Amino acid sequence: MNTAQPIRRIAILGGGTAGWMAAALLACKLRGLAESIQIIESPEIGTVGVGEATIPPIGLFNGALGVDEGEFMRETRATFKLGIQFQDWGRVGQRYFHPFGVFGTSPGMDTLHHFWLKARQHGETRAFEQWSLNAMAAQLNRFMRPEKSDGGLASLYSYAFHFDAGLYAQYLRRYAEQRGVRRVERKVEQVELRSADGFIQALRLDDGSRVEADLYIDCSGFRGLLIEEALHTGYEDWTHWLPCDRAIAVPCASAGELTPYTRSTARSAGWQWRIPLQHRIGNGYVYCSRYLSDDEATATLLAHLDGPALAEPRLLRFTTGRRRQFWNKNCIALGLASGFMEPLESTSIHLVQKGLTHLLNLFPDLDFAPCVIHEYNRRSIEEYERIRDFVILHYKATTRSDAPLWRQCQSMPVPEPLAYKIEQFQQTGRIVHYDSELFATSNWLAVLLGQEVWPRHYDPLTDQQDFAELHRRLDGVREAIRSAAEATPRHADYLKAGALIHA
Ligand SMILES: Cc1cc2nc3c(=O)[nH]c(=O)nc-3n(C[C@H](O)[C@H](O)[C@H](O)COP(=O)(O)OP(=O)(O)OC[C@H]3O[C@@H](n4cnc5c(N)ncnc54)[C@H](O)[C@@H]3O)c2cc1C
């Protein structure tokens, strides 16, 4: 057996959320292996600066770094997130909640929705989300961390955070620099490729100096300076399924009670996000430029803020899709350089985290064996595509016909795995689960039932149970969840009591 030639030098291009997440995790996990980890960023170019809502696995990322959750929350002005409230998606005037975590009073209640579907046929009018502790607590603006030790209902909470993306990058920067990451404040002007195999040889900076590395991580944002401009990897465009291509973002002053959830409100040509932080609310309108001008989008956004705007609205343009390969030669793209999906389910930061996890699990040596690169790409592509399908579902499963975007989305053909999933659910009420899927049965159920996709049948085995007994059980579960939610502190009080607010 030959001794592998290890990767010693890593260069990360870009100091946005993706770049600093990469720097922090690699500095933590490659201690003693990597001789140098450098990050090159140009303040002149700047970062996207949005990306404020997350999903529960972010806790694993922070945990892997060993950071203290309280400190992280104070530093990034974070609030807790129990899920997403969707308004006007299935139809105008309708609202539903996509909670994190499970439905029912224990993780094993996979068939609960079949009981509910049967009860619905017999006149049950309460929404299925009332059987979710996360959803019920969110409706009451309440929050507490799961208490794993008690094994009771309080152990069911699953949560994520809303945070200030700029402050998160700064927090990770301090962490990474303390662990030896070297920051180079320069602009990359040229990328040198090895003539023999087209691998990246060096980055030439605007002061004429060069950065040489074994492995390059492209976190340069939408342009993909390394993965695309230098390596011409190619891009798969998904705008025929997800036609929104712009966003206007603006923060506003906080008003009213601090909510423990993101809100997504469908509008005529897209949707508006509302993300509550400790010191402000993040807002944005994601829209399709074919159906709405930038001025109209800005006016609509500004007309729907909770408080006065705190900055000038910012326009962002994007093309939904992904790089044909996330890892090409000795370059791995993360964050916006790897592709883009609108933040409807807050998945972009998670995909950075997953990319880094795969990199650590498949860490290469200087051979850069094609099978290792292939495996990284296979895993990443599958994850990306299953998330894409979940996002598409929100657009497809609507009965809105009041605007061209919604009519277009209702009638569009969807990717085959999604069409299959919808067909299975419509016929049987069952969720087909694919490998490498981030979103679980409960997530799919929340959106399908929330947007009123009704199955033709519930599971026939449900009929084995006496209906009166089934109804009593459903009522019992809901009652237990309601009481647990009511016994939970208010979100703002919980933050204060836990000393989680920035001083
Ligand atoms: C409208 C919108 C809303 C979003 N909302 C969410 C959300 O709620 N949740 C979520 O998870 N994600 C969200 N995202 C995605 C999230 O913002 C990004 O995934 C995240 O910020 C990572 O960005 P990045 O670091 O890849 O790129 P950027 O922030 O664009 O950073 C690029 C970096 O590259 C550097 N750079 C570029 N070119 C050069 C050069 N030539 N030389 C030197 N340096 C260079 C820049 O200086 C910068 O530091 C959203 C994105 C958009 C567009």
Side-chain angles (χ1 to χ4, degrees):
M1 191 189 284
N2 296 331
T3 316
Q5 295 289 305
I7 302 274
R8 294 280 187 214
R9 300 165 305 167
I10 299 174
I12 301 166
L13 173 58
T17 313
W20 284 112
M21 282 176 77
L25 193 68
L26 296 181
C28 171
K29 299 292 175 196
L30 299 183
R31 236 172 330 187
L33 180 68
E35 272 164 18
S36 79
I37 302 177
Q38 298 192 63
I39 186 163
I40 305 118
E41 67 168 318
S42 161
E44 199 187 301
I45 295 175
T47 63
V48 154
V50 280
E52 301 178 324
T54 59
I55 53 176
I58 187 78
L60 297 176
F61 183 78
N62 287 339
L65 297 181
V67 301
D68 173 70
E69 188 172 286
E71 179 192 80
F72 148 77
M73 291 192 73
R74 285 185 294 276
E75 295 286 320
T76 63
R77 317 285 202 277
T79 63
F80 289 106
K81 175 179 171 187
L82 287 169
I84 307 176
Q85 183 187 70
F86 286 93
Q87 250 173 237
D88 299 336
W89 275 87
R91 60 188 158 80
V92 175
Q94 188 241 9
R95 173 189 284 194
Y96 72 94
F97 198 82
H98 170 195
F100 300 137
V102 298
F103 287 96
T105 45
S106 69
M109 287 194 166
D110 295 341
T111 52
L112 186 72
H113 70 285
H114 290 285
F115 294 173
W116 178 82
L117 286 167
K118 179 169 179 177
R120 191 177 166 271
Q121 280 190 0
H122 290 80
E124 173 62 69
T125 53
R126 293 167 298 183
F128 187 55
E129 68 194 38
Q130 296 197 21
W131 278 264
S132 149
L133 180 56
N134 270 50
M136 291 291 264
Q139 267 173 28
L140 299 169
N141 283 334
R142 289 169 190 263
F143 179 83
M144 69 186 278
R145 288 193 181 93
E147 302 208 338
K148 300 277 183 224
S149 54
D150 86 344
L153 271 190
S155 68
L156 290 183
Y157 282 107
S158 179
Y159 69 95
F161 306 97
H162 306 114
F163 57 59
D164 182 315
L167 294 176
Y168 188 52
Q170 282 175 30
Y171 181 68
L172 294 178
R173 175 180 161 187
R174 284 194 293 279
Y175 177 99
E177 287 185 324
Q178 279 161 12
R179 286 158 183 78
V181 171
R182 185 169 158 254
R183 176 175 173 271
V184 181
E185 197 177 305
R186 284 276 156 218
K187 194 160 146 191
V188 170
E189 291 211 314
Q190 213 190 320
V191 182
E192 292 175 17
L193 301 183
R194 278 195 322 229
S195 53
D197 53 13
F199 276 45
I200 298 174
Q201 174 137 31
L203 309 180
R204 195 174 284 278
L205 309 186
D206 56 359
D207 62 352
S209 63
R210 291 165 82 248
V211 171
E212 260 192 68
D214 304 319
L215 175 67
Y216 294 84
I217 305 197
D218 187 354
C219 301
S220 64
F222 286 123
R223 273 173 66 196
L225 198 73
L226 308 184
I227 195 82
E228 196 57 55
E229 294 189 6
L231 296 178
H232 308 294
T233 301
Y235 196 78
E236 200 172 296
D237 184 334
W238 291 338
T239 34
H240 48 296
W241 289 313
L242 293 167
C244 290
D245 56 357
R246 290 191 190 177
I248 299 273
V250 73
C252 77
S254 306
E257 197 168 349
L258 189 65
T259 50
Y261 55 86
T262 303
R263 182 181 299 144
S264 163
T265 307
R267 303 222 175 276
S268 66
W271 60 279
Q272 180 172 337
W273 80 75
R274 176 190 180 279
I275 300 176
L277 307 183
Q278 291 183 11
H279 57 313
R280 60 172 169 78
I281 297 174
N283 308 276
Y285 187 177
V286 173
Y287 59 100
C288 176
S289 64
R290 195 186 322 158
Y291 301 127
L292 198 73
S293 72
D294 300 339
D295 288 346
E296 286 170 314
T298 309
T300 304
L301 177 64
L302 293 177
H304 292 92
L305 300 181
D306 288 30
L310 298 176
E312 281 302 307
R314 197 161 156 223
L315 174 67
L316 298 136
R317 294 183 169 83
F318 50 82
T319 305
T320 296
R322 67 163 174 86
R323 295 283 166 225
R324 291 200 184 282
Q325 297 174 78
F326 296 104
W327 180 345
N328 187 4
K329 301 186 191 291
N330 57 343
C331 171
I332 293 176
L334 291 175
L336 301 173
S338 69
F340 186 74
M341 273 185 279
E342 58 188 74
L344 189 59
E345 286 287 351
S346 322
T347 44
S348 294
I349 290 173
H350 173 76
L351 283 166
V352 175
Q353 176 182 342
K354 282 303 280 191
L356 287 166
T357 308
H358 294 324
L359 171 59
L360 289 172
N361 289 338
L362 298 167
F363 205 74
D365 54 39
L366 280 181
D367 282 352
F368 285 100
C371 69
V372 174
I373 297 178
H374 179 270
E375 179 57 13
Y376 180 95
N377 285 324
R378 187 190 69 77
R379 292 183 193 182
S380 305
I381 288 170
E382 268 184 31
E383 269 156 14
Y384 241 78
E385 293 188 348
R386 295 294 75 76
I387 292 174
R388 172 202 67 192
D389 290 356
F390 190 57
V391 174
I392 294 174
L393 173 68
H394 299 65
Y395 285 92
K396 177 71 181 170
T398 182
T399 55
R400 283 184 69 143
S401 56
D402 56 306
L405 172 74
W406 301 107
R407 291 194 288 274
Q408 175 190 333
C409 291
Q410 242 178 83
S411 58
M412 70 183 169
V414 296
E416 198 278 324
L418 174 60
Y420 184 73
K421 216 181 239 266
I422 295 176
E423 186 197 346
Q424 289 285 336
F425 182 74
Q426 281 180 320
Q427 185 60 32
T428 67
R430 297 189 186 113
I431 302 286
V432 173
H433 193 78
Y434 300 113
D435 290 345
S436 316
E437 222 176 337
L438 166 67
F439 290 105
T441 297
S442 56
N443 305 109
W444 285 88
L445 277 177
V447 176
L448 284 160
L449 296 176
Q451 295 198 194
E452 300 177 338
V453 178
W454 304 125
R456 281 180 210 101
H457 306 286
Y458 53 81
D459 187 336
L461 298 187
T462 308
D463 286 333
Q464 282 176 317
Q465 278 208 28
D466 171 58
F467 181 66
E469 169 57 21
L470 179 149
H471 214 262
R472 257 194 309 280
R473 271 188 68 193
L474 269 180
D475 274 351
V477 168
R478 184 185 166 275
E479 195 43 41
I481 286 174
R482 197 183 57 81
S483 327
E486 281 174 358
T488 301
R490 304 198 82 81
H491 183 204
D493 294 342
Y494 189 82
L495 287 171
K496 274 192 212 113
L500 302 172
I501 305 267
H502 181 79

